[in-house]
Amino acid sequence: MAVMEVGLGGRLDAVNVLDADAALITTVDLDHELWLGGDRESIGMEKAGICRPGRPAVCADPEPPASIAAHAGAIGAFLYQSGRDFRFTVRGGRWDWLGRERAWRNLPRPAGRHRYQIQNAAGVLMMLDAIAAECPVSEAAIHAGLEEFSIPGRFQIVPGTVPVILDVAHNPQAARALAENLGQTPCAAATRIVLGMLRDKNHAAFIAALAPAASEWYLATLTGDRGFAGDELLRVVRSTSRAPGTAFDDVPAALGAALSASTAGDCVVVAGSFITVGLAMSALCPGAAR
């Protein structure tokens, strides 16, 4: 079994050249609007481009744009939709998955505290159920996979006197999820956010979503053609958030300043881009992000 991650959108992404046996769409929200369109229906259509006629397609988004079902129906893909064809319930540290004809109960929660991981895992289980005749996966393997699951940079907590939370969130949906996760793992005192973003992102919506969690902002410049300057981010923060902010020339400088200003009970959050988190990983643990 080969699992391939589609990159930008779906319909025109290079990975889509493969004639996949099954397709999984996890969530749909606004991102890469210049390429994919300015609304969820347009982006849903682009993502639905990975579906194949006569083969299973799974959508784990609980509120999917209608364009996904429309495209799947038009090409004759077998669409399995969260909330209609499968669902899940969470019970403390365990959860149950319920499909049309099968159920997996008392499953371990995926490692980490990211709120979308059970939703994503439910979509994976639906895909495994849909291809079980061709590629059966045992319940023991499912339990092992959930228990061993780990994604560096997705609400990854680097422990210490001042813990650092690394999260590659870079669109408004991910910012809302990060804010919810921070609310469930609150700092006793200040939450200092190191933020570096690319130019083509929705900076105002991202910062507005994360603003309730912020005690102070440390805005880092990302270089390159798509980079966005820290002082430009600072202007967005001043118009969107009540928390004070400071601009820095790069991520290591912003991270160092945030850590220097923090004491026991505070926490530092690094977010806004894979690039930002990668640079922070390198600064915290040289070689870790290579």
Side-chain angles (χ1 to χ4, degrees), residues 66-237:
S67 55
I68 292 177
H71 181 72
I75 67 169
F78 302 127
L79 180 64
Y80 297 89
Q81 175 60 56
S82 176
R84 183 191 68 187
D85 303 294
F86 66 97
R87 55 184 49 84
F88 63 91
T89 56
V90 179
R91 298 178 290 103
R94 313 292 284 186
W95 63 291
D96 300 328
W97 181 90
L98 305 172
R100 286 181 172 179
E101 299 178 358
R102 187 200 300 250
W104 280 297
R105 300 186 184 277
N106 202 34
L107 295 166
R109 294 188 67 145
R113 307 178 187 180
H114 197 284
R115 69 176 292 267
Y116 282 107
Q117 294 306 350
I118 292 181
Q119 177 181 311
N120 293 342
V124 172
L125 293 187
M126 183 66 253
M127 175 177 280
L128 293 179
D129 189 52
I131 64 172
E134 295 80 18
C135 188
V137 176
S138 70
E139 187 168 354
I142 289 170
H143 278 254
L146 290 169
E147 290 170 346
E148 297 168 10
F149 169 84
S150 174
I151 301 182
R154 289 283 188 187
F155 208 75
Q156 176 186 351
I157 300 177
V158 180
T161 303
V162 177
V164 178
I165 299 172
L166 304 171
D167 198 298
V168 297
H170 54 271
N171 61 36
Q173 181 190 48
R176 292 191 296 271
L178 175 55
E180 290 185 31
N181 289 331
L182 291 172
Q184 296 171 9
T185 313
C187 293
T191 299
R192 295 184 168 85
I193 299 180
V194 176
L195 184 67
M197 300 187 73
L198 296 176
R199 180 168 297 280
D200 57 357
K201 301 301 177 182
N202 190 335
H203 312 105
F206 185 97
I207 290 168
L210 200 51
S215 303
E216 191 170 359
W217 298 90
Y218 293 73
L219 295 318
T221 293
L222 297 186
T223 58
D225 292 342
R226 296 175 62 203
F228 198 58
D231 55 1
E232 293 184 80
L233 269 180
L234 178 58
R235 282 193 284 271
V236 180
V237 163

Side-chain angles (χ1 to χ4, degrees), residues 16 23 25 47-53 56-58 68 71-72 75 77 79:
N16 198 37
I25 298 169
K47 292 199 171 194
I50 66 174
C51 303
R52 292 293 184 268
V58 178
I68 292 177
H71 181 72
I75 67 169
L79 180 64

